[in-house]
Amino acid sequence: MGAPVSAAELSLQGSRLVVSGTLDGSAIKDFTQQLGSGTVHTVVFEDSFGGTAEAAGAFADAIRLSGVQTEVRGQCMAACAYAFLAGKTHRFGYGLQVNGILLPVAARPTAAELAVRWRGDEAHKTLADFTPPAAAVTTVAAAAPVATPKPVEASAPPVKDNWQPDHGVLFTASPSLFGRIYNTYYCDGTQGRDFSKCERLPDADPYKLGVLTP
């Protein structure tokens, strides 16, 4: 089953602002205005399958400044996942659907890294692993208006890729007769959309790790 590639769509449902599609930055202005109105209490991410690190940071900043809650209904991948973590509280939605959130990582995290990686400011700092250092390059160029060739720039560090598709730590919640069952996996990206091939991580409860809040 292919993932949707449509740009982000916003739908206001009372005090809940539903965001679906790819966080590519096209809806960030409208999104920020909606949150600034003061009528939105919860941002619901519904089947958002990725986007760019820059868009993730912009959505996260708007959510953090407004102090709203966040919720996931269905799937929330990569860029969506980091925007989700910016909520005052962040949780999975209720219902019979399977909810999942994939947080991209540059490498398989250790148990110690898992314990702190997505708590508070640490989640925001993690975006630096994926954000291209464009600002630094621009600053250097602005500070040196002299029209002198600078061949050294050719050896500058390459721009980082935003996200590697389907590579990260996946947290899932599935409904059952006895309540929701939570599982955590490390996906190296080679499995594609078949997340059953990911490595299950023990002792990685999303509530204990701060990925979900009560």
Side-chain angles (χ1 to χ4, degrees), residues 66-93:
S66 64
V68 297
Q69 306 170 93
T70 54
E71 183 179 306
V72 164
R73 186 190 302 156
Q75 306 300 306
C76 177
M77 306 291 180
C80 171
Y82 280 117
F84 164 77
L85 289 178
K88 185 176 182 180
T89 62
H90 29 93
R91 61 186 179 84
F92 281 153

Side-chain angles (χ1 to χ4, degrees), residues 119-181:
R119 291 185 181 277
D121 290 340
E122 290 301 315
H124 185 63
K125 292 176 184 177
T126 304
L127 277 176
D129 290 345
F130 303 95
T131 306
V137 174
T138 302
T139 302
V140 171
V146 182
T148 304
K150 296 198 296 182
V152 179
E153 289 188 357
S155 61
V159 174
K160 300 176 184 178
D161 291 332
N162 283 336
W163 315 108
Q164 295 182 42
D166 307 321
H167 177 207
V169 178
L170 175 68
F171 298 89
T172 65
S174 306
S176 74
L177 293 175
F178 307 100
R180 287 193 167 272
I181 298 175

Side-chain angles (χ1 to χ4, degrees), residues 23-99:
L23 303 188
D24 59 356
S26 61
I28 187 59
K29 183 177 180 180
D30 187 16
F31 181 76
T32 303
Q33 290 176 342
Q34 295 266 27
L35 293 191
S37 69
T39 60
V40 176
H41 295 160
T42 304
V43 171
V44 181
F45 290 102
E46 183 173 35
D47 292 334
S48 179
F49 288 86
T52 66
E54 291 82 0
F59 273 84
D61 287 344
I63 289 170
R64 195 176 292 107
L65 286 172
S66 64
V68 297
Q69 306 170 93
T70 54
E71 183 179 306
V72 164
R73 186 190 302 156
Q75 306 300 306
C76 177
M77 306 291 180
C80 171
Y82 280 117
F84 164 77
L85 289 178
K88 185 176 182 180
T89 62
H90 29 93
R91 61 186 179 84
F92 281 153
Y94 299 108
L96 297 178
Q97 76 281 353
V98 175
N99 296 319

